[in-house]
Amino acid sequence: MANFQYDLLVIGAGPAGESAAISAKKNNLRVAVVDGQASLGGNCAHKGTIPSKALRNAVKQAIRMSNQPFAKRMMLHQELNYPQILAAVNDIIPKQVELHSEYFIRNKIPIFNGFAHFVNKNEVEIAGPHGLKDRVTAENILVATGSRPYRPSNIDFNHPRVFDSDTILQMNTTPSTIVIFGAGVIGCEYASIFAGLGLKVDLINSRDRLLSFLDDEISDALSYHLRSSGVMVRHSEIFENAEYSDKGVTVHLRSGKHISADALLWSNGRSGNTDALNLEAVGLAADSRGQLKVDQSYRTETPNIYAAGDVIGWPSLASASFDQGRSVVDAILGREVRFVEDAPTGIYTIPEISSVGKTESELTAAKVPYEVGRAFFKDTARGQISGEDEGMLKLLFHNQTREILGIHCFGAEASEIIHIGQAIMQQAEGANTIDYFVNSTFNYPTMAEAYRIAALNGINRLMRMR
Ligand SMILES: Cc1cc2nc3c(=O)[nH]c(=O)nc-3n(C[C@H](O)[C@H](O)[C@H](O)COP(=O)(O)OP(=O)(O)OC[C@H]3O[C@@H](n4cnc5c(N)ncnc54)[C@H](O)[C@@H]3O)c2cc1C
């Protein structure tokens, strides 16, 4: 039998790689991690989830402050600029790096700093800093190399006014106008951030509605709120080309529109980080988006090589990546594997959005008889007190069994509120109904009250139908 240095070598120290490494260690596997970045945390901590949420939080706080009656009375209005709010990012990243480094140190997991590529299915070469090279062997290898913004060749990303979701974190000016091409989750989140800062934003969508995987009512609410905060949303547009000058960028659309702005943020798609892995050496090939195909155990077509996180595509969330990483170790240990399919959606626009389960369109298409219960945040005491009263909680439930089928939330703290309902949805048959919210006493005043109001609203509607 071959004598490998490790039972598992993890390539990439983002959420998927980190959780796999820690789980492997806890299960007494010999594990090591290799990452190309000098500090830990993955793209999640350096370029994705964490910096974008820190930016959003800084803008949200500024909006909240400027809406306070005392601030208005005392004319405490301060114009925020982008470099100022970027300071919030520069504060959080070192804290995140320290936190993640501690996880590795505490668990005594060796880290190799450098970019890895396959030599064969059990051996990886690591190109470290200063030209140093290392070779490591392992019985199993996990590819958790994440993704990066997709950069089409007809956009000049070297131009100082052109950004993607990585380089926007280095923009050192505050444009007055910005055009965002790509209205996926990242585009919508940045549209909220820039509109909150007072920029004029053009958000260009290649589809006919925003985030079409959401429940229609929630997608409509997002469109309404983005528009009312000054974002010009343009649907069904196709990019033709762009012109650049010292002052900004003009985007030409196939529809004949020409949209000029001080800056362009391109947020249209992502590519898996697989091109430098020398996949041919292990009999693998990535698809056109650089992603790897896996089975329900996160195993690639080469059985000792696994893949998890953004590199396998949907849902491409840090939340799911953490769970996938742990599942890989279960697969290696021959345990039952949880294939992560039920991740809730958390979208940090202003206000935020979260959902879990089916949408109305999906239930209608599947001919599932359902009813709807709604609660508006303005009708909750907590919403009124906090002043964050724009929002809605919507429960979809089976009109006979009352089983909860979908939960859709729009408004402050939506991504937290969703978890109350998610926990009930996952109970055994009979316990996963909207009756839980009517028969349980919630703290008051809380946003959880919205569940009781929505459940009663749904039950009343059911009774009217009889
Ligand atoms: C702007 C933005 C906002 C986001 N917001 C959210 C959010 O709110 N919630 C959420 O759940 N998700 C969010 N995401 C998605 C989330 O960041 C990703 O799903 C998550 O980071 C994926 O984790 P991962 O483990 O696959 O790898 P990553 O975090 O991408 O890390 C991969 C690591 O692998 C390393 N690597 C790559 N190639 C090699 C190589 N050959 N050798 C060695 N190391 C290598 C990289 O240096 C990197 O450190 C956001 C993403 C973006 C871009």
PDB file of all heavy atoms in Angstrom, residues 11-16 34-37 42-44 48-49 52-53 114-116 144-147 165 186 190 270 277 309-310 316-319 321 348, ligand 1:
ATOM      1  N   ILE A  11      -7.023  21.825  -1.054  1.00  0.00           N
ATOM      2  CA  ILE A  11      -6.501  22.967  -1.834  1.00  0.00           C
ATOM      3  C   ILE A  11      -7.510  24.106  -1.717  1.00  0.00           C
ATOM      4  O   ILE A  11      -8.609  24.028  -2.257  1.00  0.00           O
ATOM      5  CB  ILE A  11      -6.274  22.602  -3.312  1.00  0.00           C
ATOM      6  CG1 ILE A  11      -5.459  21.309  -3.440  1.00  0.00           C
ATOM      7  CG2 ILE A  11      -5.580  23.747  -4.039  1.00  0.00           C
ATOM      8  CD1 ILE A  11      -5.242  20.854  -4.884  1.00  0.00           C
ATOM      9  N   GLY A  12      -7.149  25.138  -0.989  1.00  0.00           N
ATOM     10  CA  GLY A  12      -8.038  26.295  -0.802  1.00  0.00           C
ATOM     11  C   GLY A  12      -8.516  26.383   0.633  1.00  0.00           C
ATOM     12  O   GLY A  12      -9.061  25.419   1.177  1.00  0.00           O
ATOM     13  N   ALA A  13      -8.285  27.557   1.255  1.00  0.00           N
ATOM     14  CA  ALA A  13      -8.641  27.705   2.678  1.00  0.00           C
ATOM     15  C   ALA A  13      -9.845  28.621   2.884  1.00  0.00           C
ATOM     16  O   ALA A  13      -9.938  29.345   3.865  1.00  0.00           O
ATOM     17  CB  ALA A  13      -7.439  28.238   3.454  1.00  0.00           C
ATOM     18  N   GLY A  14     -10.787  28.603   1.913  1.00  0.00           N
ATOM     19  CA  GLY A  14     -12.045  29.331   2.102  1.00  0.00           C
ATOM     20  C   GLY A  14     -12.971  28.500   2.985  1.00  0.00           C
ATOM     21  O   GLY A  14     -12.532  27.527   3.619  1.00  0.00           O
ATOM     22  N   PRO A  15     -14.260  28.853   3.036  1.00  0.00           N
ATOM     23  CA  PRO A  15     -15.193  28.121   3.908  1.00  0.00           C
ATOM     24  C   PRO A  15     -15.212  26.609   3.663  1.00  0.00           C
ATOM     25  O   PRO A  15     -15.207  25.828   4.619  1.00  0.00           O
ATOM     26  CB  PRO A  15     -16.550  28.737   3.558  1.00  0.00           C
ATOM     27  CG  PRO A  15     -16.226  30.098   3.056  1.00  0.00           C
ATOM     28  CD  PRO A  15     -14.892  30.015   2.393  1.00  0.00           C
ATOM     29  N   ALA A  16     -15.199  26.177   2.388  1.00  0.00           N
ATOM     30  CA  ALA A  16     -15.275  24.736   2.111  1.00  0.00           C
ATOM     31  C   ALA A  16     -14.014  24.031   2.593  1.00  0.00           C
ATOM     32  O   ALA A  16     -14.071  22.991   3.268  1.00  0.00           O
ATOM     33  CB  ALA A  16     -15.482  24.493   0.609  1.00  0.00           C
ATOM     34  N   VAL A  34      -3.448  23.798   1.592  1.00  0.00           N
ATOM     35  CA  VAL A  34      -2.582  24.686   0.814  1.00  0.00           C
ATOM     36  C   VAL A  34      -3.434  25.841   0.293  1.00  0.00           C
ATOM     37  O   VAL A  34      -4.561  25.639  -0.169  1.00  0.00           O
ATOM     38  CB  VAL A  34      -1.850  23.927  -0.329  1.00  0.00           C
ATOM     39  CG1 VAL A  34      -2.758  23.023  -1.083  1.00  0.00           C
ATOM     40  CG2 VAL A  34      -1.173  24.878  -1.291  1.00  0.00           C
ATOM     41  N   ASP A  35      -2.919  27.057   0.421  1.00  0.00           N
ATOM     42  CA  ASP A  35      -3.649  28.223  -0.111  1.00  0.00           C
ATOM     43  C   ASP A  35      -2.651  29.209  -0.710  1.00  0.00           C
ATOM     44  O   ASP A  35      -1.591  29.460  -0.144  1.00  0.00           O
ATOM     45  CB  ASP A  35      -4.486  28.909   0.966  1.00  0.00           C
ATOM     46  CG  ASP A  35      -5.538  29.821   0.328  1.00  0.00           C
ATOM     47  OD1 ASP A  35      -5.168  30.855  -0.278  1.00  0.00           O
ATOM     48  OD2 ASP A  35      -6.731  29.488   0.407  1.00  0.00           O
ATOM     49  N   GLY A  36      -3.046  29.766  -1.841  1.00  0.00           N
ATOM     50  CA  GLY A  36      -2.186  30.699  -2.553  1.00  0.00           C
ATOM     51  C   GLY A  36      -2.053  32.047  -1.869  1.00  0.00           C
ATOM     52  O   GLY A  36      -1.098  32.785  -2.115  1.00  0.00           O
ATOM     53  N   GLN A  37      -3.048  32.403  -1.040  1.00  0.00           N
ATOM     54  CA  GLN A  37      -2.984  33.709  -0.382  1.00  0.00           C
ATOM     55  C   GLN A  37      -2.137  33.587   0.888  1.00  0.00           C
ATOM     56  O   GLN A  37      -2.194  32.577   1.590  1.00  0.00           O
ATOM     57  CB  GLN A  37      -4.375  34.201   0.002  1.00  0.00           C
ATOM     58  CG  GLN A  37      -5.315  34.252  -1.179  1.00  0.00           C
ATOM     59  CD  GLN A  37      -6.551  35.102  -0.914  1.00  0.00           C
ATOM     60  OE1 GLN A  37      -6.454  36.260  -0.568  1.00  0.00           O
ATOM     61  NE2 GLN A  37      -7.709  34.494  -1.083  1.00  0.00           N
ATOM     62  N   GLY A  42      -9.714  32.696   2.855  1.00  0.00           N
ATOM     63  CA  GLY A  42     -10.224  32.478   1.498  1.00  0.00           C
ATOM     64  C   GLY A  42     -10.739  33.767   0.878  1.00  0.00           C
ATOM     65  O   GLY A  42     -10.665  34.852   1.475  1.00  0.00           O
ATOM     66  N   ASN A  43     -11.264  33.635  -0.316  1.00  0.00           N
ATOM     67  CA  ASN A  43     -11.858  34.804  -0.976  1.00  0.00           C
ATOM     68  C   ASN A  43     -13.041  35.315  -0.180  1.00  0.00           C
ATOM     69  O   ASN A  43     -13.377  36.497  -0.244  1.00  0.00           O
ATOM     70  CB  ASN A  43     -12.317  34.428  -2.390  1.00  0.00           C
ATOM     71  CG  ASN A  43     -11.129  34.070  -3.263  1.00  0.00           C
ATOM     72  OD1 ASN A  43     -10.045  34.622  -3.089  1.00  0.00           O
ATOM     73  ND2 ASN A  43     -11.321  33.129  -4.174  1.00  0.00           N
ATOM     74  N   CYS A  44     -13.688  34.425   0.545  1.00  0.00           N
ATOM     75  CA  CYS A  44     -14.844  34.799   1.364  1.00  0.00           C
ATOM     76  C   CYS A  44     -14.480  35.968   2.283  1.00  0.00           C
ATOM     77  O   CYS A  44     -15.202  36.966   2.356  1.00  0.00           O
ATOM     78  CB  CYS A  44     -15.276  33.584   2.174  1.00  0.00           C
ATOM     79  SG  CYS A  44     -16.662  33.891   3.252  1.00  0.00           S
ATOM     80  N   GLY A  48     -15.065  38.570  -0.943  1.00  0.00           N
ATOM     81  CA  GLY A  48     -16.474  38.274  -1.214  1.00  0.00           C
ATOM     82  C   GLY A  48     -17.406  38.679  -0.098  1.00  0.00           C
ATOM     83  O   GLY A  48     -17.660  39.861   0.141  1.00  0.00           O
ATOM     84  N   THR A  49     -17.895  37.665   0.612  1.00  0.00           N
ATOM     85  CA  THR A  49     -18.937  37.865   1.622  1.00  0.00           C
ATOM     86  C   THR A  49     -18.578  38.962   2.621  1.00  0.00           C
ATOM     87  O   THR A  49     -19.348  39.907   2.818  1.00  0.00           O
ATOM     88  CB  THR A  49     -19.134  36.553   2.421  1.00  0.00           C
ATOM     89  OG1 THR A  49     -19.252  35.472   1.509  1.00  0.00           O
ATOM     90  CG2 THR A  49     -20.345  36.620   3.310  1.00  0.00           C
ATOM     91  N   SER A  52     -18.034  42.764   1.402  1.00  0.00           N
ATOM     92  CA  SER A  52     -19.268  43.376   0.871  1.00  0.00           C
ATOM     93  C   SER A  52     -20.274  43.618   1.990  1.00  0.00           C
ATOM     94  O   SER A  52     -20.993  44.609   1.993  1.00  0.00           O
ATOM     95  CB  SER A  52     -19.874  42.529  -0.246  1.00  0.00           C
ATOM     96  OG  SER A  52     -20.235  41.257   0.219  1.00  0.00           O
ATOM     97  N   LYS A  53     -20.291  42.720   2.974  1.00  0.00           N
ATOM     98  CA  LYS A  53     -21.220  42.918   4.089  1.00  0.00           C
ATOM     99  C   LYS A  53     -20.765  44.050   5.007  1.00  0.00           C
ATOM    100  O   LYS A  53     -21.574  44.773   5.580  1.00  0.00           O
ATOM    101  CB  LYS A  53     -21.374  41.625   4.910  1.00  0.00           C
ATOM    102  CG  LYS A  53     -22.587  40.802   4.568  1.00  0.00           C
ATOM    103  CD  LYS A  53     -22.615  40.069   3.274  1.00  0.00           C
ATOM    104  CE  LYS A  53     -23.044  40.750   2.056  1.00  0.00           C
ATOM    105  NZ  LYS A  53     -23.007  39.899   0.859  1.00  0.00           N
ATOM    106  N   GLY A 114       1.077  28.733  -1.054  1.00  0.00           N
ATOM    107  CA  GLY A 114       1.506  28.671  -2.451  1.00  0.00           C
ATOM    108  C   GLY A 114       0.365  28.158  -3.314  1.00  0.00           C
ATOM    109  O   GLY A 114      -0.686  27.756  -2.799  1.00  0.00           O
ATOM    110  N   PHE A 115       0.569  28.200  -4.613  1.00  0.00           N
ATOM    111  CA  PHE A 115      -0.460  27.717  -5.543  1.00  0.00           C
ATOM    112  C   PHE A 115      -0.179  26.264  -5.911  1.00  0.00           C
ATOM    113  O   PHE A 115       0.949  25.922  -6.277  1.00  0.00           O
ATOM    114  CB  PHE A 115      -0.532  28.610  -6.777  1.00  0.00           C
ATOM    115  CG  PHE A 115      -1.281  29.876  -6.482  1.00  0.00           C
ATOM    116  CD1 PHE A 115      -0.611  31.016  -6.078  1.00  0.00           C
ATOM    117  CD2 PHE A 115      -2.670  29.897  -6.541  1.00  0.00           C
ATOM    118  CE1 PHE A 115      -1.313  32.172  -5.761  1.00  0.00           C
ATOM    119  CE2 PHE A 115      -3.381  31.041  -6.223  1.00  0.00           C
ATOM    120  CZ  PHE A 115      -2.694  32.186  -5.833  1.00  0.00           C
ATOM    121  N   ALA A 116      -1.216  25.460  -5.810  1.00  0.00           N
ATOM    122  CA  ALA A 116      -1.050  24.021  -6.029  1.00  0.00           C
ATOM    123  C   ALA A 116      -1.495  23.624  -7.427  1.00  0.00           C
ATOM    124  O   ALA A 116      -2.425  24.215  -7.978  1.00  0.00           O
ATOM    125  CB  ALA A 116      -1.905  23.269  -5.011  1.00  0.00           C
ATOM    126  N   ALA A 144     -10.962  22.938  -3.295  1.00  0.00           N
ATOM    127  CA  ALA A 144     -11.884  23.942  -2.725  1.00  0.00           C
ATOM    128  C   ALA A 144     -11.318  25.316  -3.073  1.00  0.00           C
ATOM    129  O   ALA A 144     -11.088  26.163  -2.210  1.00  0.00           O
ATOM    130  CB  ALA A 144     -11.998  23.746  -1.215  1.00  0.00           C
ATOM    131  N   THR A 145     -11.072  25.496  -4.364  1.00  0.00           N
ATOM    132  CA  THR A 145     -10.319  26.668  -4.825  1.00  0.00           C
ATOM    133  C   THR A 145     -11.206  27.873  -5.128  1.00  0.00           C
ATOM    134  O   THR A 145     -10.709  28.922  -5.550  1.00  0.00           O
ATOM    135  CB  THR A 145      -9.507  26.302  -6.085  1.00  0.00           C
ATOM    136  OG1 THR A 145     -10.375  25.603  -6.991  1.00  0.00           O
ATOM    137  CG2 THR A 145      -8.332  25.401  -5.755  1.00  0.00           C
ATOM    138  N   GLY A 146     -12.525  27.737  -4.924  1.00  0.00           N
ATOM    139  CA  GLY A 146     -13.403  28.897  -5.048  1.00  0.00           C
ATOM    140  C   GLY A 146     -13.548  29.411  -6.465  1.00  0.00           C
ATOM    141  O   GLY A 146     -13.329  28.692  -7.450  1.00  0.00           O
ATOM    142  N   SER A 147     -13.922  30.683  -6.569  1.00  0.00           N
ATOM    143  CA  SER A 147     -14.198  31.273  -7.881  1.00  0.00           C
ATOM    144  C   SER A 147     -13.716  32.710  -7.904  1.00  0.00           C
ATOM    145  O   SER A 147     -13.317  33.260  -6.882  1.00  0.00           O
ATOM    146  CB  SER A 147     -15.704  31.227  -8.158  1.00  0.00           C
ATOM    147  OG  SER A 147     -16.395  32.040  -7.222  1.00  0.00           O
ATOM    148  N   SER A 165     -16.104  42.734  -8.886  1.00  0.00           N
ATOM    149  CA  SER A 165     -16.434  42.723  -7.447  1.00  0.00           C
ATOM    150  C   SER A 165     -15.187  42.545  -6.576  1.00  0.00           C
ATOM    151  O   SER A 165     -15.248  42.788  -5.369  1.00  0.00           O
ATOM    152  CB  SER A 165     -17.475  41.648  -7.133  1.00  0.00           C
ATOM    153  OG  SER A 165     -16.945  40.372  -7.397  1.00  0.00           O
ATOM    154  N   ILE A 186     -24.852  39.782  -6.502  1.00  0.00           N
ATOM    155  CA  ILE A 186     -23.757  40.726  -6.229  1.00  0.00           C
ATOM    156  C   ILE A 186     -24.083  42.109  -6.811  1.00  0.00           C
ATOM    157  O   ILE A 186     -23.908  43.132  -6.148  1.00  0.00           O
ATOM    158  CB  ILE A 186     -22.423  40.169  -6.781  1.00  0.00           C
ATOM    159  CG1 ILE A 186     -22.044  38.895  -6.012  1.00  0.00           C
ATOM    160  CG2 ILE A 186     -21.300  41.207  -6.690  1.00  0.00           C
ATOM    161  CD1 ILE A 186     -20.836  38.152  -6.566  1.00  0.00           C
ATOM    162  N   TYR A 190     -24.506  45.516  -4.558  1.00  0.00           N
ATOM    163  CA  TYR A 190     -23.702  46.728  -4.767  1.00  0.00           C
ATOM    164  C   TYR A 190     -24.570  47.908  -5.217  1.00  0.00           C
ATOM    165  O   TYR A 190     -24.264  49.060  -4.909  1.00  0.00           O
ATOM    166  CB  TYR A 190     -22.541  46.462  -5.735  1.00  0.00           C
ATOM    167  CG  TYR A 190     -21.315  45.993  -4.971  1.00  0.00           C
ATOM    168  CD1 TYR A 190     -20.935  44.655  -4.970  1.00  0.00           C
ATOM    169  CD2 TYR A 190     -20.559  46.881  -4.209  1.00  0.00           C
ATOM    170  CE1 TYR A 190     -19.838  44.219  -4.233  1.00  0.00           C
ATOM    171  CE2 TYR A 190     -19.463  46.458  -3.480  1.00  0.00           C
ATOM    172  CZ  TYR A 190     -19.101  45.134  -3.491  1.00  0.00           C
ATOM    173  OH  TYR A 190     -18.024  44.710  -2.745  1.00  0.00           O
ATOM    174  N   ARG A 270     -19.345  34.350 -12.673  1.00  0.00           N
ATOM    175  CA  ARG A 270     -18.080  34.009 -12.005  1.00  0.00           C
ATOM    176  C   ARG A 270     -17.505  32.752 -12.652  1.00  0.00           C
ATOM    177  O   ARG A 270     -18.233  31.975 -13.277  1.00  0.00           O
ATOM    178  CB  ARG A 270     -18.316  33.769 -10.506  1.00  0.00           C
ATOM    179  CG  ARG A 270     -18.763  35.052  -9.800  1.00  0.00           C
ATOM    180  CD  ARG A 270     -18.856  34.896  -8.305  1.00  0.00           C
ATOM    181  NE  ARG A 270     -17.601  34.651  -7.635  1.00  0.00           N
ATOM    182  CZ  ARG A 270     -16.725  35.588  -7.285  1.00  0.00           C
ATOM    183  NH1 ARG A 270     -16.955  36.854  -7.568  1.00  0.00           N
ATOM    184  NH2 ARG A 270     -15.619  35.271  -6.644  1.00  0.00           N
ATOM    185  N   LEU A 277      -4.846  24.268 -12.210  1.00  0.00           N
ATOM    186  CA  LEU A 277      -4.699  23.048 -11.386  1.00  0.00           C
ATOM    187  C   LEU A 277      -4.075  21.874 -12.137  1.00  0.00           C
ATOM    188  O   LEU A 277      -3.790  20.842 -11.530  1.00  0.00           O
ATOM    189  CB  LEU A 277      -6.070  22.616 -10.838  1.00  0.00           C
ATOM    190  CG  LEU A 277      -6.647  23.468  -9.707  1.00  0.00           C
ATOM    191  CD1 LEU A 277      -8.080  23.028  -9.398  1.00  0.00           C
ATOM    192  CD2 LEU A 277      -5.789  23.360  -8.448  1.00  0.00           C
ATOM    193  N   GLY A 309     -17.620  23.780  -2.554  1.00  0.00           N
ATOM    194  CA  GLY A 309     -17.603  25.255  -2.549  1.00  0.00           C
ATOM    195  C   GLY A 309     -17.928  25.811  -3.928  1.00  0.00           C
ATOM    196  O   GLY A 309     -18.539  25.137  -4.763  1.00  0.00           O
ATOM    197  N   ASP A 310     -17.497  27.024  -4.183  1.00  0.00           N
ATOM    198  CA  ASP A 310     -17.856  27.700  -5.444  1.00  0.00           C
ATOM    199  C   ASP A 310     -17.366  26.947  -6.670  1.00  0.00           C
ATOM    200  O   ASP A 310     -17.918  27.105  -7.752  1.00  0.00           O
ATOM    201  CB  ASP A 310     -17.234  29.102  -5.476  1.00  0.00           C
ATOM    202  CG  ASP A 310     -18.071  30.111  -4.699  1.00  0.00           C
ATOM    203  OD1 ASP A 310     -18.930  29.681  -3.912  1.00  0.00           O
ATOM    204  OD2 ASP A 310     -17.841  31.322  -4.872  1.00  0.00           O
ATOM    205  N   SER A 316     -23.106  28.292  -4.647  1.00  0.00           N
ATOM    206  CA  SER A 316     -22.033  29.294  -4.541  1.00  0.00           C
ATOM    207  C   SER A 316     -22.266  30.268  -3.390  1.00  0.00           C
ATOM    208  O   SER A 316     -22.317  31.490  -3.580  1.00  0.00           O
ATOM    209  CB  SER A 316     -21.891  30.064  -5.862  1.00  0.00           C
ATOM    210  OG  SER A 316     -21.389  29.212  -6.845  1.00  0.00           O
ATOM    211  N   LEU A 317     -22.420  29.717  -2.227  1.00  0.00           N
ATOM    212  CA  LEU A 317     -22.596  30.523  -1.007  1.00  0.00           C
ATOM    213  C   LEU A 317     -21.593  30.047   0.031  1.00  0.00           C
ATOM    214  O   LEU A 317     -21.311  28.845   0.128  1.00  0.00           O
ATOM    215  CB  LEU A 317     -24.003  30.326  -0.434  1.00  0.00           C
ATOM    216  CG  LEU A 317     -25.162  30.924  -1.221  1.00  0.00           C
ATOM    217  CD1 LEU A 317     -26.483  30.444  -0.645  1.00  0.00           C
ATOM    218  CD2 LEU A 317     -25.090  32.452  -1.205  1.00  0.00           C
ATOM    219  N   ALA A 318     -21.131  30.980   0.845  1.00  0.00           N
ATOM    220  CA  ALA A 318     -20.244  30.605   1.936  1.00  0.00           C
ATOM    221  C   ALA A 318     -20.975  29.645   2.879  1.00  0.00           C
ATOM    222  O   ALA A 318     -20.410  28.651   3.349  1.00  0.00           O
ATOM    223  CB  ALA A 318     -19.795  31.852   2.689  1.00  0.00           C
ATOM    224  N   SER A 319     -22.255  29.945   3.118  1.00  0.00           N
ATOM    225  CA  SER A 319     -23.053  29.123   4.041  1.00  0.00           C
ATOM    226  C   SER A 319     -23.048  27.656   3.588  1.00  0.00           C
ATOM    227  O   SER A 319     -22.779  26.742   4.378  1.00  0.00           O
ATOM    228  CB  SER A 319     -24.491  29.656   4.085  1.00  0.00           C
ATOM    229  OG  SER A 319     -24.997  29.766   2.763  1.00  0.00           O
ATOM    230  N   SER A 321     -20.954  26.285   1.440  1.00  0.00           N
ATOM    231  CA  SER A 321     -19.582  25.768   1.315  1.00  0.00           C
ATOM    232  C   SER A 321     -19.102  25.162   2.639  1.00  0.00           C
ATOM    233  O   SER A 321     -18.444  24.114   2.648  1.00  0.00           O
ATOM    234  CB  SER A 321     -18.628  26.886   0.889  1.00  0.00           C
ATOM    235  OG  SER A 321     -19.054  27.455  -0.316  1.00  0.00           O
ATOM    236  N   TYR A 348     -28.181  40.500   0.729  1.00  0.00           N
ATOM    237  CA  TYR A 348     -27.979  41.653   1.609  1.00  0.00           C
ATOM    238  C   TYR A 348     -28.105  42.960   0.845  1.00  0.00           C
ATOM    239  O   TYR A 348     -27.210  43.780   0.825  1.00  0.00           O
ATOM    240  CB  TYR A 348     -26.643  41.511   2.332  1.00  0.00           C
ATOM    241  CG  TYR A 348     -26.636  40.293   3.228  1.00  0.00           C
ATOM    242  CD1 TYR A 348     -26.325  39.037   2.720  1.00  0.00           C
ATOM    243  CD2 TYR A 348     -27.001  40.394   4.561  1.00  0.00           C
ATOM    244  CE1 TYR A 348     -26.353  37.907   3.520  1.00  0.00           C
ATOM    245  CE2 TYR A 348     -27.033  39.272   5.377  1.00  0.00           C
ATOM    246  CZ  TYR A 348     -26.708  38.038   4.841  1.00  0.00           C
ATOM    247  OH  TYR A 348     -26.753  36.916   5.636  1.00  0.00           O
TER     248      TYR A 348
HETATM  249  C1  LIG B   1     -19.232  40.179  -3.514  1.00  0.00           C
HETATM  250  C2  LIG B   1     -19.615  38.845  -2.950  1.00  0.00           C
HETATM  251  C3  LIG B   1     -20.535  38.771  -1.915  1.00  0.00           C
HETATM  252  C4  LIG B   1     -20.886  37.544  -1.368  1.00  0.00           C
HETATM  253  N1  LIG B   1     -21.802  37.497  -0.350  1.00  0.00           N
HETATM  254  C5  LIG B   1     -22.145  36.320   0.200  1.00  0.00           C
HETATM  255  C6  LIG B   1     -23.048  36.254   1.300  1.00  0.00           C
HETATM  256  O1  LIG B   1     -23.539  37.283   1.760  1.00  0.00           O
HETATM  257  N2  LIG B   1     -23.337  35.048   1.841  1.00  0.00           N
HETATM  258  C7  LIG B   1     -22.794  33.889   1.360  1.00  0.00           C
HETATM  259  O2  LIG B   1     -23.093  32.817   1.906  1.00  0.00           O
HETATM  260  N3  LIG B   1     -21.937  33.911   0.311  1.00  0.00           N
HETATM  261  C8  LIG B   1     -21.603  35.091  -0.267  1.00  0.00           C
HETATM  262  N4  LIG B   1     -20.712  35.136  -1.312  1.00  0.00           N
HETATM  263  C9  LIG B   1     -20.161  33.873  -1.831  1.00  0.00           C
HETATM  264  C10 LIG B   1     -19.023  33.361  -0.967  1.00  0.00           C
HETATM  265  O3  LIG B   1     -18.032  34.344  -0.800  1.00  0.00           O
HETATM  266  C11 LIG B   1     -18.459  32.123  -1.624  1.00  0.00           C
HETATM  267  O4  LIG B   1     -19.516  31.214  -1.846  1.00  0.00           O
HETATM  268  C12 LIG B   1     -17.402  31.443  -0.763  1.00  0.00           C
HETATM  269  O5  LIG B   1     -16.332  32.294  -0.528  1.00  0.00           O
HETATM  270  C13 LIG B   1     -16.912  30.173  -1.460  1.00  0.00           C
HETATM  271  O6  LIG B   1     -16.035  29.519  -0.597  1.00  0.00           O
HETATM  272  P1  LIG B   1     -14.964  28.485  -1.131  1.00  0.00           P
HETATM  273  O7  LIG B   1     -14.556  27.687   0.053  1.00  0.00           O
HETATM  274  O8  LIG B   1     -15.476  27.784  -2.313  1.00  0.00           O
HETATM  275  O9  LIG B   1     -13.686  29.316  -1.590  1.00  0.00           O
HETATM  276  P2  LIG B   1     -13.151  30.821  -1.538  1.00  0.00           P
HETATM  277  O10 LIG B   1     -13.695  31.607  -0.392  1.00  0.00           O
HETATM  278  O11 LIG B   1     -13.375  31.338  -2.905  1.00  0.00           O
HETATM  279  O12 LIG B   1     -11.615  30.539  -1.276  1.00  0.00           O
HETATM  280  C14 LIG B   1     -10.851  29.758  -2.163  1.00  0.00           C
HETATM  281  C15 LIG B   1      -9.392  29.835  -1.762  1.00  0.00           C
HETATM  282  O13 LIG B   1      -8.656  28.959  -2.621  1.00  0.00           O
HETATM  283  C16 LIG B   1      -7.416  29.567  -2.935  1.00  0.00           C
HETATM  284  N5  LIG B   1      -6.919  28.993  -4.185  1.00  0.00           N
HETATM  285  C17 LIG B   1      -7.457  29.082  -5.430  1.00  0.00           C
HETATM  286  N6  LIG B   1      -6.715  28.361  -6.300  1.00  0.00           N
HETATM  287  C18 LIG B   1      -5.683  27.823  -5.601  1.00  0.00           C
HETATM  288  C19 LIG B   1      -4.579  26.995  -5.931  1.00  0.00           C
HETATM  289  N7  LIG B   1      -4.403  26.534  -7.165  1.00  0.00           N
HETATM  290  N8  LIG B   1      -3.728  26.655  -4.947  1.00  0.00           N
HETATM  291  C20 LIG B   1      -3.879  27.100  -3.688  1.00  0.00           C
HETATM  292  N9  LIG B   1      -4.915  27.884  -3.310  1.00  0.00           N
HETATM  293  C21 LIG B   1      -5.797  28.235  -4.255  1.00  0.00           C
HETATM  294  C22 LIG B   1      -7.760  31.045  -3.053  1.00  0.00           C
HETATM  295  O14 LIG B   1      -6.594  31.810  -2.851  1.00  0.00           O
HETATM  296  C23 LIG B   1      -8.767  31.211  -1.922  1.00  0.00           C
HETATM  297  O15 LIG B   1      -8.119  31.588  -0.727  1.00  0.00           O
HETATM  298  C24 LIG B   1     -20.319  36.357  -1.875  1.00  0.00           C
HETATM  299  C25 LIG B   1     -19.386  36.413  -2.921  1.00  0.00           C
HETATM  300  C26 LIG B   1     -19.033  37.644  -3.451  1.00  0.00           C
HETATM  301  C27 LIG B   1     -18.019  37.694  -4.566  1.00  0.00           C
END
